[in-house]
Amino acid sequence: MSPSDGMPTTMFGSHGISREAIYQAMVEQSLDAMLVLEGTRFVDCNPSAERLYGATREQFSRISPIDFSPEIQPDGRLSLPTAREYVRLANEGIPQRFEWMARRLDGSLFPAELGLSCLTDNGTTRTILVVRDLSSRKLAEQATQQKNSTLQVVLDNFPGGVALIDESWRIATWNQAVLQILGLPEYLFEQGPPHVHAIISFNIERGEYGEFGKTAEEKFTRLLQTLKQGQAYAYERKRSDGKLIEISSTPVSTGGFVMTFVDVTNKRNIEREYKRQSLLLQTVLSSMPQGISVFDKDLKLQLWNQSFIDVLNYDPAVINEGRHFADLLRIMAERGEYGDGDREQQVQQRLALAKRFEAHRFERRRPNGHTHLVQGTPYHDEGELGGFITTYTDITDLKNAQLALSNANAMLEKNVAERTSELRSALDDLIRSEKLAALGSLVAGVAHELNTPIGNSLLISSTLKERTGEFNKLIEQGQLRRSDLQQYVAEASHASALLERGLNAAGDLISSFKQVAVDQASSKRRRFNLAKVGSDIIATVMMKIRQSGIKVDLDIAANIEMDSYPGPLEQVISNLIDNAILHGFESKTKGEVRLSARLLNNETVEIRFRDNGVGIRQDDIPRIFDPFFTTKLGKGGSGLGLNIVYNIVTSLLGGNIHVESNPGDGACFILHLPLRSPSEQE
């Protein structure tokens, strides 16, 4: 490279130093690459060009200039026509400066800033090309852009408000959270970065900053003094709407400061609640009689209560946060808690079980005689194992109580069995007595019923005997007349008829009594007609019925045949009659009883015993079949009559019985019996 012709050959004020030498030195020492383009070839370059492109002067002269550019520029333009246009403009005297993507000899690309100017020397036009490598600057710009982009993302996603106040006290940068947290309107920021004074004035007008003074001027002055300290600070402020805002300020070395605003209302509420819950938990743990321990997943002690120390008799000095579970096992093993054997082996066995983190529950009797219930449960934190919680309960008293209770229960069961046997024996005796009493009552009734026909027969026979004696005297005296004979024959015939009728009645009554007595005494199974059994039992208790002044109505179909136990059935009917007389008509001089039966189907008969007495209280209905339940205790009621009825019906006869009644409306006992009893009594 050489200076243009016509130029002075020496520099102003220089002493013998040629301009050419000066220019040569400047070119050779320049950090920018310089190349001379003549036509379509490079004819010269400086060392910086050789270093930048990785090519020698000779290579520059042999390689086409366009080969030092990619085919297409980053903006999509073709490199060849674009470069020709820049060269044309430069050669026309219009210097060009632009950014260009260049290519080194090895093919690697780099961003560059190119300057083109025209140089005419002795009629020859050359283009001077100055190339400055922009790689470092581009990287710096890219890094800055990336930082700015990252900063903006951080600002936009920051959980609080962030604002950058510059040295002129304007809010240069902010995020939307600043407006949301401080409740600032959008219009304050629409005209560009607002001044801090405007924001302070707005907040004072709406009643903010009460902590800085009473008047607006006092608030403004004191707040500015705080901001102008030029030091980092942080404080918490309660806004007029009750929200708590945490404000911090950090000065920037270039001037201004950064302020952050975080709404900590929920955080403070959570902290207060956490503190309250922690205090409550600590109180609960301290008050619990059970020992509690919490070990983390590394088997290190994190939480415990005093009962944990007391129940396991630990020295408080050895219990501290972070204590390993194995250390506590060794303490227990060394004092013989796990019995005889190798202490370390005992520890390792239990440590291996603990590392499984499985729920467990067991009882352990300690050498001091106490029994402990140990229960452990693993806990998880966000789906991951956190450790396990174990409770230790001294159940010595409970075990002793359970043992005493078990012994007491055994003794009670023995006593109950003995008393039950005695009660069953007494109940059997009472039932037998009840049966005998019923049979005795039956005998008394039959005797009373027999008295009339037999008495009449005796009177007639004595009268006939007397008339026969008189008749014999007439014969002996020879005074017998035809009229006397005729009168005697007539009277004898009438007496015979009366005797026959009375004795037949007595015979029928005795026959019924014999059948009923045999059935009730033997309880044997046989086939019988239900209507006949009903009439027989009514006939045998007729004296009792007459004495009570009640009327009995029978409505039993004549075709109902049963294969069952007539004696127990007769006792059921007899007990129902006794119950009606004793309880149903206690305040009535007259009453009616109706005994009816009908077939429900080919296998079942329904028997209804209804009276129009005083009825049964609703509260008493569920208990009337219970043994010893009676409303006439001490007044003739034993409490066994209906219980016997229930037992006979539901067991021996294989049926069921229930009662329908309302006070003042009588009672109706309804029996459903199989025509054939399901089982025979041996």
Side-chain angles (χ1 to χ4, degrees):
M1 290 184 178
S2 62
S4 299
D5 294 341
M7 294 290 292
T9 59
T10 60
M11 295 291 291
F12 296 110
S14 64
H15 299 280
I17 302 176
S18 66
R19 181 181 297 274
E20 182 178 358
I22 295 297
Y23 284 160
Q24 183 69 29
M26 290 174 61
V27 170
E28 294 295 328
Q29 298 299 321
S30 174
L31 296 178
D32 292 333
M34 295 183 180
L35 299 101
V36 178
L37 179 66
E38 183 177 330
T40 59
R41 293 291 177 183
F42 288 121
V43 296
D44 201 358
C45 69
N46 68 350
S48 293
E50 291 178 316
R51 290 192 295 270
L52 179 60
Y53 282 92
T56 65
R57 280 184 172 87
E58 182 182 356
Q59 289 173 326
F60 273 118
S61 64
R62 290 189 290 103
I63 299 175
S64 173
I66 199 61
D67 290 337
F68 290 97
S69 299
E71 182 179 356
I72 300 174
Q73 289 297 306
D75 58 4
R77 294 177 300 169
L78 293 174
S79 296
L80 181 59
T82 304
R84 286 175 177 174
E85 179 63 17
Y86 282 132
V87 171
R88 184 186 67 78
L89 292 173
N91 290 336
E92 290 179 357
I94 305 173
Q96 300 294 309
R97 183 174 294 275
F98 54 90
E99 290 188 4
W100 189 258
M101 183 60 68
R103 181 166 60 188
R104 296 183 180 90
L105 189 61
D106 62 6
S108 61
L109 303 178
F110 64 94
E113 182 183 64
L114 274 64
L116 299 178
S117 60
C118 179
L119 176 64
T120 301
D121 183 17
N122 296 324
T124 301
T125 300
R126 297 182 176 89
T127 305
I128 305 301
L129 177 64
V130 179
V131 182
R132 178 170 293 175
D133 188 354
L134 297 182
S135 298
S136 297
R137 194 179 81 180
K138 288 294 184 181
L139 290 175
E141 289 176 353
Q142 184 178 1
T144 301
Q145 184 179 4
Q146 186 174 2
K147 287 181 180 179
N148 291 337
S149 176
T150 303
L151 176 60
Q152 190 60 47
V153 172
V154 170
L155 290 177
D156 293 340
N157 292 276
F158 189 72
V162 180
L164 172 63
I165 292 86
D166 61 20
E167 62 274 8
S168 64
W169 287 78
R170 288 192 176 277
I171 303 177
T173 304
W174 66 91
N175 62 358
Q176 193 63 28
V178 172
L179 283 69
Q180 296 173 351
I181 293 175
L182 299 182
L184 298 174
E186 294 280 354
Y187 71 81
L188 290 176
F189 295 80
E190 289 176 352
Q191 302 303 322
H195 201 279
V196 171
H197 291 181
I199 303 299
I200 295 176
S201 299
F202 175 81
N203 281 334
I204 290 175
E205 288 178 3
R206 63 178 183 178
E208 300 282 349
Y209 307 130
E211 68 272 22
F212 288 97
K214 295 182 179 180
T215 66
E217 183 179 357
E218 184 180 4
K219 292 177 181 178
F220 193 91
T221 302
R222 292 186 60 185
L223 184 56
L224 281 181
Q225 289 175 352
T226 302
L227 295 175
K228 290 180 178 180
Q229 289 177 356
Q231 298 177 352
Y233 67 90
Y235 72 99
E236 196 170 287
R237 184 169 70 85
K238 187 173 184 179
R239 290 188 54 202
S240 56
D241 59 4
K243 290 185 178 180
L244 293 174
I245 309 299
E246 186 179 71
I247 302 173
S248 63
S249 175
T250 304
V252 180
S253 60
T254 57
F257 50 93
V258 176
M259 296 189 71
T260 60
F261 309 87
V262 180
D263 187 341
V264 294
T265 306
N266 291 335
K267 179 181 177 182
R268 295 294 179 259
N269 290 337
I270 292 172
E271 287 174 351
R272 284 194 294 271
E273 181 63 19
Y274 176 77
K275 184 177 180 180
R276 189 185 72 84
Q277 293 286 352
S278 297
L279 181 60
L280 180 62
L281 176 61
Q282 190 61 41
T283 303
V284 171
L285 291 178
S286 300
S287 303
M288 291 181 64
Q290 293 91 355
I292 296 180
S293 65
V294 179
F295 288 85
D296 62 18
K297 61 182 179 181
D298 296 322
L299 296 180
K300 292 183 179 180
L301 184 62
Q302 300 298 320
L303 184 66
W304 66 94
N305 64 352
Q306 184 61 38
S307 295
F308 169 71
I309 298 174
D310 296 339
V311 171
L312 298 179
N313 302 119
Y314 280 126
D315 182 356
V318 304
I319 302 301
N320 50 66
E321 186 174 354
R323 190 82 179 195
H324 200 278
F325 186 61
D327 296 338
L328 302 183
L329 290 175
R330 287 189 178 89
I331 294 174
M332 300 288 280
E334 288 172 359
R335 63 187 186 190
E337 294 281 350
Y338 306 133
D340 298 330
D342 184 84
R343 299 287 189 254
E344 188 59 27
Q345 186 177 1
Q346 293 173 343
V347 170
Q348 293 304 321
Q349 287 177 347
R350 285 160 177 78
L351 188 61
L353 291 175
K355 289 181 178 179
R356 296 180 183 176
F357 291 97
E358 296 175 348
H360 55 273
R361 185 180 189 276
F362 62 89
E363 294 179 5
R364 186 169 67 85
R365 187 171 180 83
R366 297 184 58 201
N368 61 5
H370 285 246
T371 301
H372 289 170
L373 174 63
V374 182
Q375 300 180 90
T377 304
Y379 70 90
H380 294 79
D381 183 10
E382 295 183 355
E384 294 185 0
L385 179 67
F388 65 86
I389 302 172
T390 308
T391 61
Y392 311 83
T393 307
D394 190 334
I395 59 172
T396 306
D397 294 339
L398 176 62
K399 283 296 182 181
N400 292 337
Q402 288 177 345
L403 180 60
L405 181 62
S406 178
N407 294 335
N409 286 339
M411 183 62 68
L412 180 62
E413 290 176 0
K414 180 180 178 182
N415 293 337
V416 168
E418 293 176 353
R419 298 298 178 271
T420 301
S421 178
E422 295 174 359
L423 287 174
R424 286 176 178 170
S425 178
L427 182 61
D428 291 341
D429 292 341
L430 287 172
I431 292 175
R432 282 193 295 270
S433 298
E434 186 79 11
K435 288 184 177 181
L436 291 175
L439 191 58
S441 176
L442 179 64
V443 171
V446 171
H448 182 273
E449 292 299 318
L450 288 174
N451 187 56
T452 298
I454 293 177
N456 290 339
S457 297
L458 288 174
L459 178 61
I460 293 170
S461 65
S462 62
T463 301
L464 180 59
K465 180 180 179 181
E466 181 179 350
R467 290 292 294 132
T468 301
E470 293 175 355
F471 182 74
N472 286 332
K473 286 181 180 181
L474 291 175
I475 294 175
E476 290 175 354
Q477 294 173 358
Q479 299 178 356
L480 180 65
R481 295 176 294 179
R482 180 181 294 276
S483 59
D484 293 332
L485 178 60
Q486 290 176 344
Q487 182 179 357
Y488 175 77
V489 171
E491 290 177 352
S493 296
H494 180 63
S496 297
L498 291 176
L499 283 172
E500 183 180 8
R501 187 164 57 203
L503 292 176
N504 283 336
D508 291 341
L509 191 59
I510 290 171
S511 177
S512 296
F513 169 71
K514 285 174 62 179
Q515 187 61 58
V516 170
V518 168
D519 287 340
Q520 291 194 9
S522 64
S523 296
K524 288 186 177 181
R525 178 174 182 157
R526 65 180 178 88
R527 292 188 61 83
F528 60 90
N529 181 273
L530 183 59
K532 179 64 169 58
V533 169
S535 62
D536 286 347
I537 191 61
I538 295 300
T540 58
V541 297
M542 187 57 68
M543 180 192 72
K544 188 184 300 184
I545 293 173
R546 288 172 180 167
Q547 288 176 348
S548 62
I550 64 175
K551 178 183 177 183
V552 177
D553 179 25
L554 284 177
D555 182 17
I556 302 176
N559 63 337
I560 301 177
E561 298 290 330
M562 298 184 67
D563 182 4
S564 188
Y565 300 91
L569 179 59
E570 290 163 354
Q571 185 172 358
V572 167
I573 298 173
S574 177
N575 284 12
L576 292 176
I577 293 173
D578 290 342
N579 183 74
I581 294 172
L582 181 61
H583 300 282
F585 302 108
E586 58 178 346
S587 60
K588 291 188 176 184
T589 57
K590 293 184 179 181
E592 294 183 2
V593 171
R594 188 169 189 270
L595 179 62
S596 62
R598 66 186 181 94
L599 288 173
L600 294 180
N601 49 52
N602 294 333
E603 298 179 351
T604 308
V605 61
E606 179 186 79
I607 300 175
R608 288 177 173 259
F609 184 89
R610 180 185 294 277
D611 66 64
N612 63 347
V614 297
I616 304 172
R617 292 173 52 214
Q618 293 299 310
D619 292 343
D620 293 339
I621 288 179
R623 300 187 295 162
I624 61 172
F625 295 116
D626 293 346
F628 307 110
F629 174 76
T630 179
T631 59
K632 296 292 184 180
L633 188 62
K635 299 180 181 179
S638 65
L640 290 175
L642 290 182
N643 178 253
I644 293 174
V645 168
Y646 180 83
N647 288 336
I648 292 175
V649 170
T650 58
S651 59
L652 189 60
L653 299 182
N656 60 76
I657 181 172
H658 68 278
V659 63
E660 297 175 354
S661 178
N662 289 307
D665 194 29
C668 180
F669 290 86
I670 303 172
L671 292 72
H672 290 161
L673 303 177
L675 294 177
R676 179 177 177 81
S677 177
S679 62
E680 295 186 6
Q681 180 176 327
E682 297 297 328

